[in-house]
Amino acid sequence: MHKDNITCVQRARFFFYFYEKKEWLPGEEPPLDNIIKVQNVEPQAVRKLGQFLSNRLERIATMMEILTSAHDDWAITGKKDMILMETETFDFNDALKILKDHGFNDDEFILKVEYNRKWGML
């Protein structure tokens, strides 16, 4: 969105899911596939899930720290399977640039952007 645009309000929403990635790379296997609805779950599958969650939650916490240090007007909500961060006062392009500059990829979060008209006809 153009920074001088006064006709719209931008709402950026970052979804950080605990168990899932937006896209799994070739050769990667979702860790819950070996646990959910599986007879005779192997201990190694539980260990893999633990390692995945430990790494994933650390990455989510780091992304949250980066975004909150760059801008202080976030609504942060914890859900059973994700963290939701949303704002109407920080341009999503700036947020994406900051995350990419710190080595994060697009598949580590889901970004949804909504625009609402502020007044009158466009």
Side-chain angles (χ1 to χ4, degrees), residues 73-115:
D73 186 23
W74 291 97
I76 303 172
T77 308
K79 307 281 186 177
K80 69 176 184 175
D81 61 345
M82 71 168 172
I83 299 291
L84 171 62
M85 292 183 69
E86 50 192 333
T87 186
E88 291 182 350
T89 56
F90 191 50
D91 188 79
F92 79 94
N93 291 305
D94 295 336
L96 286 177
K97 183 178 182 332
I98 290 168
L99 290 176
K100 289 190 188 270
D101 288 348
H102 284 86
F104 292 98
N105 302 316
D106 289 338
D107 67 346
E108 297 186 78
F109 54 85
I110 294 175
L111 170 64
K112 293 184 181 180
V113 181
E114 300 170 356
Y115 294 94

Side-chain angles (χ1 to χ4, degrees), residues 18-91:
F18 300 148
Y19 303 108
E20 294 294 325
K21 291 171 50 176
K22 191 162 71 171
E23 292 180 24
W24 293 97
L25 299 174
E28 285 186 323
E29 187 176 314
L32 287 176
D33 285 0
N34 292 325
I35 294 178
I36 302 293
K37 298 181 183 177
V38 172
Q39 296 284 334
N40 299 322
V41 175
E42 297 289 326
Q44 189 58 28
V46 176
R47 285 188 183 96
K48 279 186 174 180
L49 176 61
Q51 291 168 350
F52 173 81
L53 282 176
S54 177
N55 292 335
R56 178 73 182 138
L57 294 175
E58 181 59 36
R59 302 267 306 166
I60 289 171
T62 304
M63 287 186 279
M64 291 174 66
E65 288 171 345
I66 291 167
L67 291 173
T68 55
S69 68
H71 182 69
D72 62 353
D73 186 23
W74 291 97
I76 303 172
T77 308
K79 307 281 186 177
K80 69 176 184 175
D81 61 345
M82 71 168 172
I83 299 291
L84 171 62
M85 292 183 69
E86 50 192 333
T87 186
E88 291 182 350
T89 56
F90 191 50
D91 188 79

